[in-house]
Amino acid sequence: VVTAEAADLLIVHAGELATLARGGTPRTGPALSDPDVIGDGAVAVAASRITAVGPTDTIRRQVAVTPATRIVDASGRLVTPGLVDAHTHLLFAGHRAHEFELRVRGAGYAEILAAGGGILTTVRATRDASEDDLVEIGKARLDRMLAHGTTTAEAKSGYGLTPADELKILRAVARLDRAHPVDLVPTFLGAHAVPAEHRADPEAYIREVCEVMLPAVARERLAVFCDVFCEHGVFSVEQAQRILTAAAGLGLGLKIHADQLSASGGARLAADLGALSADHLEHAPDDALRAMASRGVTAGLLPGATFFLFQPRYADARTMIALGIPVALATDFNPGSSPTLSMQMAIALACVAMKLRPAEALSAATINAAHAIGRAGEVGSLEPGKRADLVVWGIGSVAELPLHFGTNMADIVIKSGRIVLDRIGGRV
Ligand SMILES: [Zn+2]
């Protein structure tokens, strides 16, 4: 059988083609550690979409090629879906090198925030930046993400904390989504911190989030999700519930920064509200995890933040997996607690510190991450009809993915059927 459509791009002879097939539901249990690998695999692409996936000899027989078809010989290499980063704070200005050194000298993250630093340092710099500035900053960051194999990412606001500045960030995200190959899923995080000018009356800020910011975000369709930093000293469970209930009423999906620094009730709230994901979870109690399992709430694992905050207690991913909770992986890219743009680093940390198997980490970084941001119909697995987002790796197997931590092993990155990065050169 020859498909009607000739291939624009044909990737052949992948040593391991990890398809993450059957992507209709998040992978849990045994499926989490089985990424549906095809040996000597091939993928055909036409007009930015995947048209066929299978063993190279089968695809060669099925798919018409023309002189214009670009053929990539992936002999001996691992090929996977483009990575999906399910939790990033993509847009902010400045950096926090000074506070990093304070933390190295022993200061705590919450202590720096309480003294007006931390998130609030970045809020001041981001308020001073224009929308155009943020677009330029964002382009450079997205270039680096793409170079490390990330083809879709969630992007949160949360460093503006005024109506004008939160909208400025989300408008910049929308422009970047149109202007850059990496696809972005926007999340409103106005409840990231109480800004300094509202310290004396946090309730007034929460009213502004619910009554001014959220309606404006919904009216301009600037966000798909609403997130809240639910933590002692930041937003309480009751405050988070009010904000998220208002967001749900406006049609936004729900996410929560939950139980990161203490057992503060976020995971339980995520289950009660039927949030799509609860992220962090370093201190989530077992009964809250069981509630998440019963409601099908995805756990967003952010090992980069635990690592970079020098904290000994990582989220208990093995218990989550045993309970059947879908786990997704993300960088949590942000200037304070996880300034990495590399999902490869997140994969390595998840394996080393959370004891994920490499195949589980790959599932969490692709199809499960896509489910966690509502994009699994488009990306996250290699299946006919999906967007042709792929990575050809400088390694031969899924098992090798965490081995080269800190080293970029993405050799060819393909976004929507277009080769956007090629480190192999002569071999293509
Ligand atoms: Zn975060």
mmCIF file of all heavy atoms in Angstrom, residues 372-403:
data_model
loop_
_atom_site.group_PDB
_atom_site.id
_atom_site.type_symbol
_atom_site.label_atom_id
_atom_site.label_comp_id
_atom_site.label_asym_id
_atom_site.label_seq_id
_atom_site.Cartn_x
_atom_site.Cartn_y
_atom_site.Cartn_z
ATOM 1 N N ALA A 372 -0.626 16.709 30.681
ATOM 2 C CA ALA A 372 -0.673 17.641 31.825
ATOM 3 C C ALA A 372 -0.934 19.082 31.392
ATOM 4 O O ALA A 372 -1.308 19.912 32.219
ATOM 5 C CB ALA A 372 0.634 17.564 32.614
ATOM 6 N N ILE A 373 -0.716 19.377 30.101
ATOM 7 C CA ILE A 373 -0.997 20.742 29.626
ATOM 8 C C ILE A 373 -2.049 20.745 28.513
ATOM 9 O O ILE A 373 -2.174 21.719 27.766
ATOM 10 C CB ILE A 373 0.292 21.470 29.178
ATOM 11 C CG1 ILE A 373 1.022 20.713 28.076
ATOM 12 C CG2 ILE A 373 1.207 21.685 30.371
ATOM 13 C CD1 ILE A 373 2.198 21.502 27.487
ATOM 14 N N GLY A 374 -2.804 19.640 28.420
ATOM 15 C CA GLY A 374 -3.947 19.626 27.510
ATOM 16 C C GLY A 374 -3.585 19.557 26.041
ATOM 17 O O GLY A 374 -4.395 19.909 25.185
ATOM 18 N N ARG A 375 -2.373 19.063 25.698
ATOM 19 C CA ARG A 375 -1.937 19.023 24.301
ATOM 20 C C ARG A 375 -1.713 17.607 23.758
ATOM 21 O O ARG A 375 -1.095 17.432 22.707
ATOM 22 C CB ARG A 375 -0.641 19.834 24.128
ATOM 23 C CG ARG A 375 -0.849 21.334 24.170
ATOM 24 C CD ARG A 375 -1.665 21.821 22.974
ATOM 25 N NE ARG A 375 -2.032 23.222 23.127
ATOM 26 C CZ ARG A 375 -1.354 24.241 22.573
ATOM 27 N NH1 ARG A 375 -0.311 24.000 21.832
ATOM 28 N NH2 ARG A 375 -1.747 25.477 22.780
ATOM 29 N N ALA A 376 -2.212 16.600 24.468
ATOM 30 C CA ALA A 376 -1.908 15.226 24.063
ATOM 31 C C ALA A 376 -2.549 14.852 22.733
ATOM 32 O O ALA A 376 -2.127 13.894 22.086
ATOM 33 C CB ALA A 376 -2.332 14.247 25.157
ATOM 34 N N GLY A 377 -3.557 15.581 22.295
ATOM 35 C CA GLY A 377 -4.134 15.308 20.975
ATOM 36 C C GLY A 377 -3.224 15.728 19.840
ATOM 37 O O GLY A 377 -3.392 15.287 18.698
ATOM 38 N N GLU A 378 -2.251 16.575 20.145
ATOM 39 C CA GLU A 378 -1.376 17.156 19.118
ATOM 40 C C GLU A 378 0.055 16.630 19.191
ATOM 41 O O GLU A 378 0.701 16.468 18.156
ATOM 42 C CB GLU A 378 -1.305 18.683 19.328
ATOM 43 C CG GLU A 378 -2.457 19.456 18.746
ATOM 44 C CD GLU A 378 -2.295 19.599 17.230
ATOM 45 O OE1 GLU A 378 -1.345 20.253 16.794
ATOM 46 O OE2 GLU A 378 -3.114 19.013 16.505
ATOM 47 N N VAL A 379 0.586 16.479 20.403
ATOM 48 C CA VAL A 379 2.009 16.178 20.576
ATOM 49 C C VAL A 379 2.201 15.134 21.680
ATOM 50 O O VAL A 379 1.237 14.692 22.299
ATOM 51 C CB VAL A 379 2.812 17.463 20.930
ATOM 52 C CG1 VAL A 379 2.693 18.503 19.837
ATOM 53 C CG2 VAL A 379 2.358 18.055 22.273
ATOM 54 N N GLY A 380 3.449 14.738 21.904
ATOM 55 C CA GLY A 380 3.776 13.846 23.011
ATOM 56 C C GLY A 380 3.995 12.404 22.615
ATOM 57 O O GLY A 380 4.518 11.620 23.400
ATOM 58 N N SER A 381 3.559 12.025 21.404
ATOM 59 C CA SER A 381 3.806 10.664 20.921
ATOM 60 C C SER A 381 3.957 10.705 19.410
ATOM 61 O O SER A 381 3.594 11.695 18.775
ATOM 62 C CB SER A 381 2.649 9.735 21.316
ATOM 63 O OG SER A 381 1.423 10.189 20.772
ATOM 64 N N LEU A 382 4.540 9.639 18.867
ATOM 65 C CA LEU A 382 4.740 9.555 17.412
ATOM 66 C C LEU A 382 3.642 8.672 16.843
ATOM 67 O O LEU A 382 3.725 7.443 16.869
ATOM 68 C CB LEU A 382 6.133 8.990 17.111
ATOM 69 C CG LEU A 382 7.298 9.791 17.728
ATOM 70 C CD1 LEU A 382 8.631 9.143 17.379
ATOM 71 C CD2 LEU A 382 7.272 11.252 17.271
ATOM 72 N N GLU A 383 2.577 9.321 16.371
ATOM 73 C CA GLU A 383 1.423 8.611 15.838
ATOM 74 C C GLU A 383 0.902 9.384 14.630
ATOM 75 O O GLU A 383 0.941 10.617 14.626
ATOM 76 C CB GLU A 383 0.327 8.506 16.898
ATOM 77 C CG GLU A 383 0.767 7.719 18.129
ATOM 78 C CD GLU A 383 -0.349 7.592 19.168
ATOM 79 O OE1 GLU A 383 -1.177 6.685 19.036
ATOM 80 O OE2 GLU A 383 -0.379 8.408 20.112
ATOM 81 N N PRO A 384 0.394 8.678 13.604
ATOM 82 C CA PRO A 384 -0.125 9.370 12.428
ATOM 83 C C PRO A 384 -1.165 10.423 12.823
ATOM 84 O O PRO A 384 -2.026 10.169 13.674
ATOM 85 C CB PRO A 384 -0.751 8.250 11.598
ATOM 86 C CG PRO A 384 0.031 7.036 11.979
ATOM 87 C CD PRO A 384 0.338 7.214 13.447
ATOM 88 N N GLY A 385 -1.057 11.585 12.218
ATOM 89 C CA GLY A 385 -1.978 12.685 12.494
ATOM 90 C C GLY A 385 -1.431 13.713 13.457
ATOM 91 O O GLY A 385 -1.872 14.854 13.477
ATOM 92 N N LYS A 386 -0.468 13.282 14.284
ATOM 93 C CA LYS A 386 0.092 14.240 15.251
ATOM 94 C C LYS A 386 1.142 15.124 14.578
ATOM 95 O O LYS A 386 1.685 14.803 13.531
ATOM 96 C CB LYS A 386 0.713 13.496 16.437
ATOM 97 C CG LYS A 386 -0.335 13.035 17.444
ATOM 98 C CD LYS A 386 0.271 12.771 18.804
ATOM 99 C CE LYS A 386 -0.815 12.483 19.833
ATOM 100 N NZ LYS A 386 -0.257 12.198 21.154
ATOM 101 N N ARG A 387 1.397 16.251 15.233
ATOM 102 C CA ARG A 387 2.420 17.180 14.788
ATOM 103 C C ARG A 387 3.777 16.458 14.752
ATOM 104 O O ARG A 387 4.094 15.703 15.672
ATOM 105 C CB ARG A 387 2.446 18.340 15.786
ATOM 106 C CG ARG A 387 2.967 19.617 15.275
ATOM 107 C CD ARG A 387 2.741 20.719 16.280
ATOM 108 N NE ARG A 387 1.425 21.331 16.120
ATOM 109 C CZ ARG A 387 1.103 22.166 15.127
ATOM 110 N NH1 ARG A 387 1.981 22.468 14.204
ATOM 111 N NH2 ARG A 387 -0.098 22.689 15.053
ATOM 112 N N ALA A 388 4.543 16.719 13.698
ATOM 113 C CA ALA A 388 5.825 16.018 13.533
ATOM 114 C C ALA A 388 6.910 16.725 14.333
ATOM 115 O O ALA A 388 7.709 17.493 13.801
ATOM 116 C CB ALA A 388 6.198 15.933 12.067
ATOM 117 N N ASP A 389 6.921 16.482 15.635
ATOM 118 C CA ASP A 389 7.928 17.009 16.564
ATOM 119 C C ASP A 389 8.779 15.828 17.027
ATOM 120 O O ASP A 389 8.268 14.937 17.718
ATOM 121 C CB ASP A 389 7.264 17.649 17.790
ATOM 122 C CG ASP A 389 6.408 18.861 17.454
ATOM 123 O OD1 ASP A 389 6.381 19.271 16.269
ATOM 124 O OD2 ASP A 389 5.760 19.400 18.375
ATOM 125 N N LEU A 390 10.056 15.813 16.666
ATOM 126 C CA LEU A 390 10.913 14.664 16.987
ATOM 127 C C LEU A 390 12.306 15.117 17.377
ATOM 128 O O LEU A 390 12.756 16.185 16.979
ATOM 129 C CB LEU A 390 11.069 13.744 15.769
ATOM 130 C CG LEU A 390 9.850 13.091 15.161
ATOM 131 C CD1 LEU A 390 9.400 13.865 13.940
ATOM 132 C CD2 LEU A 390 10.162 11.663 14.780
ATOM 133 N N VAL A 391 12.976 14.239 18.127
ATOM 134 C CA VAL A 391 14.391 14.444 18.431
ATOM 135 C C VAL A 391 15.152 13.196 18.004
ATOM 136 O O VAL A 391 14.750 12.070 18.327
ATOM 137 C CB VAL A 391 14.630 14.700 19.935
ATOM 138 C CG1 VAL A 391 16.114 14.934 20.208
ATOM 139 C CG2 VAL A 391 13.806 15.891 20.424
ATOM 140 N N VAL A 392 16.236 13.397 17.258
ATOM 141 C CA VAL A 392 17.190 12.337 16.931
ATOM 142 C C VAL A 392 18.380 12.547 17.852
ATOM 143 O O VAL A 392 19.000 13.621 17.855
ATOM 144 C CB VAL A 392 17.637 12.414 15.452
ATOM 145 C CG1 VAL A 392 18.626 11.303 15.136
ATOM 146 C CG2 VAL A 392 16.427 12.366 14.515
ATOM 147 N N TRP A 393 18.658 11.543 18.681
ATOM 148 C CA TRP A 393 19.616 11.703 19.777
ATOM 149 C C TRP A 393 21.009 11.175 19.430
ATOM 150 O O TRP A 393 21.134 10.238 18.633
ATOM 151 C CB TRP A 393 19.102 10.970 21.022
ATOM 152 C CG TRP A 393 17.820 11.519 21.561
ATOM 153 C CD1 TRP A 393 16.558 11.101 21.242
ATOM 154 C CD2 TRP A 393 17.662 12.591 22.503
ATOM 155 N NE1 TRP A 393 15.625 11.852 21.938
ATOM 156 C CE2 TRP A 393 16.276 12.770 22.717
ATOM 157 C CE3 TRP A 393 18.565 13.409 23.188
ATOM 158 C CZ2 TRP A 393 15.779 13.742 23.586
ATOM 159 C CZ3 TRP A 393 18.075 14.370 24.051
ATOM 160 C CH2 TRP A 393 16.698 14.528 24.243
ATOM 161 N N GLY A 394 22.003 11.707 20.135
ATOM 162 C CA GLY A 394 23.366 11.212 19.996
ATOM 163 C C GLY A 394 23.641 10.041 20.909
ATOM 164 O O GLY A 394 24.750 9.874 21.410
ATOM 165 N N ILE A 395 22.628 9.222 21.143
ATOM 166 C CA ILE A 395 22.719 8.003 21.938
ATOM 167 C C ILE A 395 21.848 6.960 21.251
ATOM 168 O O ILE A 395 21.048 7.297 20.375
ATOM 169 C CB ILE A 395 22.218 8.203 23.394
ATOM 170 C CG1 ILE A 395 20.838 8.881 23.389
ATOM 171 C CG2 ILE A 395 23.209 9.007 24.209
ATOM 172 C CD1 ILE A 395 20.212 9.044 24.770
ATOM 173 N N GLY A 396 22.001 5.703 21.653
ATOM 174 C CA GLY A 396 21.344 4.647 20.914
ATOM 175 C C GLY A 396 20.078 4.089 21.541
ATOM 176 O O GLY A 396 19.354 3.331 20.891
ATOM 177 N N SER A 397 19.812 4.458 22.813
ATOM 178 C CA SER A 397 18.696 3.790 23.479
ATOM 179 C C SER A 397 18.082 4.673 24.559
ATOM 180 O O SER A 397 18.735 5.584 25.084
ATOM 181 C CB SER A 397 19.166 2.476 24.121
ATOM 182 O OG SER A 397 20.091 2.753 25.153
ATOM 183 N N VAL A 398 16.836 4.341 24.903
ATOM 184 C CA VAL A 398 16.138 5.042 25.994
ATOM 185 C C VAL A 398 16.941 4.912 27.291
ATOM 186 O O VAL A 398 17.038 5.859 28.080
ATOM 187 C CB VAL A 398 14.709 4.471 26.168
ATOM 188 C CG1 VAL A 398 14.039 5.061 27.405
ATOM 189 C CG2 VAL A 398 13.873 4.723 24.917
ATOM 190 N N ALA A 399 17.541 3.748 27.485
ATOM 191 C CA ALA A 399 18.284 3.496 28.726
ATOM 192 C C ALA A 399 19.430 4.477 28.935
ATOM 193 O O ALA A 399 19.847 4.729 30.066
ATOM 194 C CB ALA A 399 18.814 2.059 28.724
ATOM 195 N N GLU A 400 19.944 5.051 27.835
ATOM 196 C CA GLU A 400 21.089 5.969 27.932
ATOM 197 C C GLU A 400 20.686 7.411 28.223
ATOM 198 O O GLU A 400 21.545 8.260 28.450
ATOM 199 C CB GLU A 400 21.883 5.946 26.616
ATOM 200 C CG GLU A 400 22.596 4.639 26.328
ATOM 201 C CD GLU A 400 23.146 4.611 24.901
ATOM 202 O OE1 GLU A 400 24.056 5.389 24.600
ATOM 203 O OE2 GLU A 400 22.612 3.822 24.095
ATOM 204 N N LEU A 401 19.370 7.702 28.172
ATOM 205 C CA LEU A 401 18.928 9.105 28.266
ATOM 206 C C LEU A 401 19.487 9.866 29.477
ATOM 207 O O LEU A 401 19.869 11.026 29.346
ATOM 208 C CB LEU A 401 17.392 9.179 28.276
ATOM 209 C CG LEU A 401 16.703 9.389 26.926
ATOM 210 C CD1 LEU A 401 15.190 9.273 27.093
ATOM 211 C CD2 LEU A 401 17.060 10.732 26.302
ATOM 212 N N PRO A 402 19.513 9.266 30.688
ATOM 213 C CA PRO A 402 19.975 10.065 31.844
ATOM 214 C C PRO A 402 21.494 10.081 32.009
ATOM 215 O O PRO A 402 21.992 10.757 32.907
ATOM 216 C CB PRO A 402 19.343 9.332 33.040
ATOM 217 C CG PRO A 402 18.603 8.171 32.485
ATOM 218 C CD PRO A 402 19.024 7.958 31.085
ATOM 219 N N LEU A 403 22.234 9.352 31.184
ATOM 220 C CA LEU A 403 23.647 9.109 31.472
ATOM 221 C C LEU A 403 24.535 10.331 31.330
ATOM 222 O O LEU A 403 25.532 10.456 32.017
ATOM 223 C CB LEU A 403 24.182 7.993 30.554
ATOM 224 C CG LEU A 403 24.158 6.591 31.158
ATOM 225 C CD1 LEU A 403 22.774 6.189 31.589
ATOM 226 C CD2 LEU A 403 24.706 5.575 30.198
#
